[in-house]
Amino acid sequence: MAQSRFHGRFEDSGRECEHPTCTEAGEFRAPGYRGSSFDGPGEYRWFCLDHVREFNSGYDWFEGMSAEEILTAQSPSSGWQTESPAFRATAGVDGMPRWADFHDPLDAIGARANGIKSRARREAEMAMDGRFNRDEAQALETMGLGLDTDRRRLRRRYSELVRRYHPDRNGGDRKYEKRLTRVVEAYQLLRKSNAIG
């Protein structure tokens, strides 16, 4: 099939242009009548090339926004406010990867592309290693540590996580209290383990 010279053209759609005076094929879509939402653009309108160009020239993306919202949307850093999971405070806990877990940043990209192993699979691999039982494997996973963990690394990670999740470090906010409890329990189990040298 030959490539259309117009990006976004839907040839042979069988639709007619929705402009009231036009009978040409409606091969180009425009935002719909019901407006956009998080789930998508709503119901599309279909126009011929001339009328989609006319529609686009009059379309105001900022319609309904306040001056402050427009300024924020036009900011060069717009869209960069969200934090990547690997850099979040919760990274390395509950199966989330930590950027520091990767020796080369490209390994992180490769892991994402190939699908990071499920938590259950990692726990099973740790248990199959022979040194760790299932509870210890789950505790390592909770702490965000791997099979090569030693006592020094365990203490350092424990200290880091306690500082991160303790209410005193979060302005009295207790939203991480359950996570902190899991970290303390995991540490208590692992510090007694003979498998960690």
Side-chain angles (χ1 to χ4, degrees):
M1 182 172 143
Q3 179 72 18
S4 172
R5 61 178 230 182
F6 295 109
H7 176 71
R9 177 182 237 166
F10 291 80
E11 295 183 62
D12 302 323
S13 64
R15 295 180 186 89
E16 194 171 289
C17 178
E18 293 186 32
H19 190 275
T21 62
C22 185
T23 57
E24 294 205 26
E27 299 175 320
F28 298 89
R29 64 185 181 188
Y33 301 106
R34 294 189 199 137
S36 300
S37 71
F38 179 77
D39 295 324
E43 190 177 314
Y44 287 113
R45 301 178 205 189
W46 293 89
F47 295 110
C48 66
L49 181 61
D50 290 334
H51 288 120
V52 81
R53 285 178 174 161
E54 181 182 312
F55 175 86
N56 287 341
S57 69
Y59 184 73
D60 184 3
W61 190 82
F62 299 107
E63 185 179 346
M65 289 184 170
S66 69
E68 189 175 306
E69 290 170 327
I70 292 171
L71 185 62
T72 301
Q74 291 177 329
S75 166
S77 63
S78 179
W80 288 95
Q81 294 85 358
T82 57
E83 190 175 30
S84 170
F87 291 102
R88 286 190 185 134
T90 56
V93 177
D94 296 334
M96 293 298 297
R98 285 184 309 158
W99 193 252
D101 291 339
F102 300 101
H103 299 292
D104 179 350
L106 293 179
D107 288 342
I109 295 167
R112 278 273 177 232
N114 296 328
I116 294 176
K117 295 176 189 172
S118 72
R119 179 178 181 158
R121 184 172 169 193
R122 286 193 305 270
E123 287 173 2
E125 285 176 1
M126 286 182 192
M128 283 174 37
D129 180 61
R131 293 182 296 155
F132 300 100
N133 63 35
R134 182 180 170 89
D135 291 337
E136 291 169 337
Q138 286 177 341
L140 282 171
E141 187 67 30
T142 298
M143 299 289 288
L145 295 170
L147 294 172
D148 59 345
T149 299
D150 57 19
R151 296 211 181 273
R152 193 169 135 246
R153 186 176 295 164
L154 175 64
R155 280 191 302 271
R156 193 174 342 131
R157 183 68 173 150
Y158 174 68
S159 177
E160 175 188 329
L161 293 175
V162 167
R163 282 194 309 271
R164 182 182 299 167
Y165 296 130
H166 199 281
D168 291 347
R169 289 290 187 122
N170 292 293
D173 188 354
R174 302 177 85 81
K175 69 180 176 185
Y176 296 118
E177 198 166 27
K178 287 182 183 176
R179 247 186 217 147
L180 178 61
T181 301
R182 285 199 309 265
V183 166
V184 171
E185 289 170 354
Y187 175 73
Q188 292 302 327
L189 176 68
L190 291 171
R191 76 182 184 90
K192 297 173 190 169
S193 172
N194 295 327
I196 295 180

